[in-house]
Amino acid sequence: MNYLEINNVSKTYGTKKVLNDISIKVPEKSIYGLLGPNGAGKTTLIRILNQITMPDSGQVLLNGKPLQPSDIANIGYLPEERGLYKKMKVGEQAIYLAQLKGMNKKEADKKLRHWFMKFGIASWWDKKVEELSKGMQQKVQFIVTIIHEPKLLIFDEPFSGFDPINVNLLKNEILELRDKGATILFSTHNMASVEELCDNIMLINKGEKILEGSVRDIKQQYKNHTYDVVYKPNDGGEETHLTVSSTNPNELISDIISKGELVSFNEILPSMNDIFINLVSSSNQ
Amino acid sequence: MKIGIIIQREYLTRVKKRSFIIITFLAPLFFAALMFLPVILMESSEKFDEKRTIAVCDESKMFYGKLENTEVNTFLYIDNDIDEAKELVKNGDYDGVLYIPATTLSVPTNAEIYSMKQLPMSLTSHIRSSMKQVVEHQKLLASGIDPAIVKASATSINVQQIKMSEKDGTEQKSFGEFEFILGIFLALIIYMVIFVFGGQVMRGVIEEKTNRIVEVIISSVKPFELMMGKIIGVALVGLTQFLLWAVLTLAISGIASSFLPTPEVFSAGTVMSEQITEMAEAESSSALTEVFEVINSINFKDILWCFLLYFIGGYFLYSAMFAAVGSAVDSETDTQQFATPISLMLIIPMICSSLIANAPDSSLALWMSMIPFTSPVGMMLRIPFGVPIWQIAVSVTILFATFILFTWFASKVYRTGILMYGKKVSWKEIFRWIKY
């Protein structure tokens, strides 16, 4: 079951085609990576999902039904360009933003305090936002994004501005949210986190979809048959490390065995980072 | 309703600000002080003034016993010459010595006053006027005219303007100066209110944009709701401030006047005019009575209604434009090129204010009070003189229609502008956004 479906969405600003016939399917309870260089059209696509902008053509289905204004309550959005009112108290502000998502005040207060405890930031409740560091503000923003327990979460560069410890905390939270039933759309330039978190990805460049699929399949598809081999030569020399290209791994192994004792044999799959750079630069040509 | 939540936030964050509380509570004190200070000063200058004795060394021998003693000033006439008199002042026998030298001409026009301490201006002016009276009296007598005749012939002329109503021909006294001042005052308030609160709306929009909170919010509410929520919230802040100012100013002046010995001078409205009428019976057609007659003839309730209508219409029209400006720029320093032409439309009637208030039924005044961009200020200038109801109705209708139209334009600009970062925007671009 796909929780989110985007069908043939196009958007043009002036003469510039920002999105050209984009379609994606995001299965329920999965993390979907939205990848692409700056200016590829990711933010426009996300804004269409949030009903901030309307597509020129195409359709967005949420849970099988066309997107409606009331779906605001089903979506949590952490934009890349994000901020809070500096002069407002943290707790007050979090309640305000939760209310705008349709929660009532009492419920918002209770849930927010729970999350503040969980993130170890309960003591900030009455502080003004301007007293917090950038990373602290990001934590508050993350909580505000998920507080109304939306079915669809959209994170645009969620890890920017976090230290490694908090990146880890956030990753675990994101995985936990998925396990609890949320569908997550995740836009980032950080390819390491894509490999770690995403089940499926789409790569867009200049408004065009250039790659789509599960992370595992894509890596298989773009592998270049390179193997990392370690063996002990029969003549009693030191352990030898080799990177070999071969289309026939069986042959490669028997070849090595004849030379010595095989210690380890691994296929080197391309990193998402390499795939990203290769595809984007070739599509730019 | 989500717009209600936005209005609430916009309102509460502003009202809870320290600067709002300070201004709201200090301004009435300031207003009250402006009302009372002159009276208090007048009262106390007499009280705080020390009594002093001035020796008069009059060589002309014309002023003996003719200088009037007042509560604080006592004049003693001495026969010593001026050098001896100066010694007496040095010894502290007198506070000062007034030296009127004998002149070759028949009447003296100069005098000198010697003292150890600086003597107040009120003393010198008292001496000047006393001496002037004596000398003028002498001159009149010398040319054979009875001073009493001169006194009796002094006259002051009053020209009473009476405006006849178009409808029923009722006549109304008008006291041009008072309505003029009231008109300018009302126009100035509307002008300042639109600038101050319109500016607050603009800064609020810029704040949200530079904070980057705007994208989070418009994923929850429509940009139009956010814009209107802000405009309405700030309008309520303005009305709250007015209300508190009015209540506090009245309360403070009420309390203050009960402490002052002569409350009847300050207490406004009917009490005052009643007393004036009593006075008027004794001393008919004094200028002051006229003023109060006119004040009573002005319909303050209607003025208040008009003020509120034009405040709301003008504020909404301009704050929608200011919100659009705020959305199109990245920081307050970039607002100039857009805010200046808008401000100019509001400044024009202010520049013409004395022309309009001077001739409130002229065609300039009529146009200024009809064009929606100038009508809030333009009409306020005319209102105290009385404006035909149909003119007010037409003007208010135009104003409100324009504000609805411009709010719609502004929301289109706003919708695009708030998501446009790091881009210098031109007028041409803004007009294109309206067409989106």
Side-chain angles (χ1 to χ4, degrees), chain B residues 161-165 170-174 297-299 385-386:
Chain B
Q161 215 195 88
I162 292 157
K163 217 171 152 181
M164 294 181 296
S165 160
T170 49
E171 295 177 357
Q172 198 179 34
K173 282 191 185 171
S174 110
S297 76
I298 287 172
N299 193 335
F385 296 94

Side-chain angles (χ1 to χ4, degrees), chain B residues 80-251:
Chain B
N80 311 51
D81 68 28
I82 181 64
D83 291 327
E84 286 168 4
K86 280 184 193 168
E87 281 306 311
L88 291 173
V89 173
K90 269 185 199 160
N91 292 342
D93 293 351
Y94 302 106
D95 293 297
V97 56
L98 174 69
Y99 173 54
I100 306 166
T103 51
T104 45
L105 293 165
S106 58
V107 281
T109 50
N110 288 319
E112 283 159 351
I113 187 156
Y114 297 91
S115 68
M116 302 297 286
K117 282 190 285 184
Q118 180 68 42
L119 293 169
M121 296 247 294
S122 61
L123 175 67
T124 38
S125 68
H126 174 68
I127 292 172
R128 199 184 321 125
S129 67
S130 293
M131 284 178 66
K132 185 172 166 245
Q133 242 175 24
V134 173
V135 172
E136 278 174 0
H137 199 87
Q138 291 282 335
K139 283 182 177 171
L140 286 174
L141 283 179
S143 41
I145 299 163
D146 185 356
I149 295 172
V150 176
K151 203 175 173 188
S153 66
T155 325
S156 83
I157 308 291
N158 261 325
V159 178
Q160 179 66 57
Q161 215 195 88
I162 292 157
K163 217 171 152 181
M164 294 181 296
S165 160
E166 283 173 23
K167 272 200 311 252
D168 48 8
T170 49
E171 295 177 357
Q172 198 179 34
K173 282 191 185 171
S174 110
F175 193 85
E177 287 89 337
F178 178 77
E179 283 126 339
F180 184 91
I181 292 166
L182 183 63
I184 300 256
F185 177 73
L186 289 171
L188 200 67
I189 289 185
I190 278 239
Y191 169 83
M192 284 192 336
V193 161
I194 290 176
F195 261 129
V196 168
F197 293 103
Q200 279 199 24
V201 169
M202 185 172 79
R203 275 191 300 278
V205 172
I206 294 173
E207 185 204 0
E208 275 163 2
K209 194 181 169 185
T210 50
N211 262 354
R212 303 285 198 258
I213 196 175
V214 71
E215 194 150 347
V216 176
I217 293 177
I218 59 167
S219 70
S220 309
V221 300
K222 289 200 184 71
F224 182 73
E225 288 176 288
L226 178 59
M227 187 181 94
M228 282 319 282
K230 187 177 290 296
I231 290 175
I232 294 170
V234 173
L236 292 177
V237 173
L239 290 174
T240 307
Q241 192 150 51
F242 274 140
L243 196 72
L244 284 174
W245 277 351
V247 170
L248 287 172
T249 306
L250 285 180

Side-chain angles (χ1 to χ4, degrees), chain A residues 6-22 44-45 47-48 53-60, chain B residues 415 436:
Chain A
I6 297 174
N7 296 326
N8 312 101
V9 162
S10 296
K11 177 82 190 178
T12 308
Y13 283 124
T15 55
K16 200 181 161 209
K17 201 135 198 159
V18 190
L19 290 175
N20 188 14
D21 201 25
I22 298 287
T44 306
L45 188 60
R47 282 179 181 165
I48 286 171
T53 32
M54 294 297 140
D56 296 338
S57 62
Q59 196 185 29
V60 178
Chain B
R415 203 178 60 185
Y436 271 163

